[in-house]
Amino acid sequence: MESNFKSGVSEKIDTVVPAETAGSFKYVGRMLRLEGSVVNAGEIEIGGRKLHIIVSAMSLESAVQAVDLAHTIKSAGASMLSNREFKPIPYINPDQMERETAWFLDAGKAIGIPFIAEVTAMKNIKKLARQADILQVSGRDMQNFELLKALGKENRPVILKRGSGATIEEWILAAEYIMAGGNKNVVLCAGAIESFEKYTDNMTMDLSAIIAVKMLSHLPVIMDLRQDVEKLWMISSLAKAAIAAGADGLMLEVGNDSGQVLTGKGFLELMNELRTIADSMGREM
């Protein structure tokens, strides 16, 4: 199949954006940069020909476990490690969050795989920017505008996840806050949105957002298929569909044999399946 990608950068896309919308996207808009942009994080380029698989762990119990996971996913072809997305529950021990982040940072350095750290507070930005290769903003912080402005002043790529109740326009405008501050290395992260469908626990994976954002913006887009996927057996099909829709990467979660997340064996099997889809789309893994 003929590739849609040349020299690692997506071809120009003809798009029609309403004038009132285009006027709001001064940095993010496709009208200003018809060729898709590529975000660099060390030797990693997000937005080019290569698809990037980012993996987090459902829970970590030791530094050794973090190293083992980093080795496993890198050997399977994954590009990056990420700490898990911590839910806003007051009973979560903040010390555990810091321990898991430290374990992954050390594992990433030991194995030679980049690490993505979630930023939850402005006071942590400077520290994490020195340690991690990429910073991530969760969906619940997507409209924390002071946090976004502060990230705009950092020299670190930022992954910005869409809030589950946010519109696509609100999501893109949130990226504007970061880029307006001077940080042009932004990756948009799609995920599940709130819906009325009880079968998927009132959350629906919005694959159409990938297509829409590719038309509206020049920024790379990845898809988060972690905790918001209610049915484990859906992950494989959703991952393939996201690649077919044009995603530049996927976020997956690996854990024990709990039936809630991919096991190590399930992850390896999925990676083999995704390579077939990537090849058919003219992408690499």
Side-chain angles (χ1 to χ4, degrees), residues 36-54:
S37 59
V38 173
V39 171
N40 295 290
E43 297 180 357
I44 299 292
E45 292 187 341
I46 305 175
R49 186 186 184 94
K50 184 175 175 61
L51 284 167
H52 294 286
I53 307 300
I54 302 162

Side-chain angles (χ1 to χ4, degrees), residues 17-37:
V17 181
E20 63 274 15
T21 300
S24 301
F25 302 159
K26 299 184 184 300
Y27 298 97
V28 180
R30 174 72 73 169
M31 298 290 288
L32 302 172
R33 184 186 175 98
L34 296 181
E35 288 186 346
S37 59

Side-chain angles (χ1 to χ4, degrees), residues 152-173:
K153 299 176 183 178
E154 293 298 323
N155 186 29
R156 271 287 181 268
V158 177
I159 293 176
L160 177 64
K161 186 175 178 181
R162 179 188 181 186
S164 61
T167 66
I168 289 174
E169 183 176 7
E170 289 169 341
W171 179 29
I172 296 177
L173 286 173

Side-chain angles (χ1 to χ4, degrees), residues 48-281:
R49 186 186 184 94
K50 184 175 175 61
L51 284 167
H52 294 286
I53 307 300
I54 302 162
V55 181
S56 62
M58 187 176 183
S59 64
L60 285 179
E61 298 177 357
S62 68
V64 173
Q65 186 183 14
V67 172
D68 288 343
L69 177 62
H71 185 272
T72 297
I73 68 166
K74 184 178 180 181
S75 62
S79 303
M80 290 172 270
L81 276 171
S82 172
N83 57 4
R84 60 186 168 120
E85 188 176 58
F86 291 95
K87 297 298 184 181
I89 301 173
Y91 315 112
I92 291 179
N93 187 344
D95 293 337
Q96 178 63 19
M97 295 171 63
E98 292 185 10
R99 277 196 297 269
E100 290 190 18
T101 298
W103 289 340
F104 263 147
L105 280 167
D106 291 342
K109 292 176 182 177
I111 303 301
I113 185 169
F115 175 68
I116 300 168
E118 181 183 336
V119 178
T120 58
M122 291 180 62
K123 65 180 181 180
N124 297 331
I125 292 177
K126 294 293 184 183
K127 176 182 177 181
L128 290 174
R130 290 193 301 268
Q131 297 174 328
D133 300 277
I134 303 177
L135 303 177
Q136 179 176 347
V137 178
S138 70
R140 66 180 176 275
D141 286 322
M142 189 203 82
Q143 291 183 313
N144 183 341
F145 300 122
E146 295 306 313
L147 180 66
L148 300 181
K149 289 177 184 177
L151 289 169
K153 299 176 183 178
E154 293 298 323
N155 186 29
R156 271 287 181 268
V158 177
I159 293 176
L160 177 64
K161 186 175 178 181
R162 179 188 181 186
S164 61
T167 66
I168 289 174
E169 183 176 7
E170 289 169 341
W171 179 29
I172 296 177
L173 286 173
E176 282 281 325
Y177 271 92
I178 301 172
M179 297 187 75
N183 188 346
K184 302 301 188 291
N185 290 313
V186 178
V187 177
L188 295 173
C189 179
I193 59 173
E194 297 173 9
S195 71
F196 58 82
E197 183 49 66
K198 297 186 182 300
Y199 188 70
T200 54
D201 198 25
N202 298 110
M203 300 293 286
T204 297
M205 203 55 62
D206 189 8
L207 295 168
S208 65
I210 300 171
I211 303 167
V213 167
K214 286 284 185 176
M215 291 293 290
L216 293 169
S217 170
H218 60 82
L219 296 180
V221 186
I222 63 175
M223 190 79 179
D224 191 345
L225 293 170
R226 295 181 296 176
Q227 297 176 359
D228 291 330
V229 179
E230 179 66 15
K231 313 293 183 183
L232 177 59
W233 53 266
M234 289 184 176
I235 292 179
S236 176
S237 295
L238 287 169
K240 296 171 188 175
I243 293 174
D248 297 298
L250 302 172
M251 301 190 82
L252 301 170
E253 192 166 50
V254 177
N256 54 23
D257 191 13
S258 64
Q260 294 178 306
V261 294
L262 291 166
T263 62
K265 180 180 179 181
F267 173 73
L268 295 175
E269 292 173 352
L270 178 58
M271 288 293 286
N272 290 330
E273 293 175 5
L274 295 182
R275 284 191 182 90
T276 302
I277 301 297
D279 290 343
S280 69
M281 295 297 295

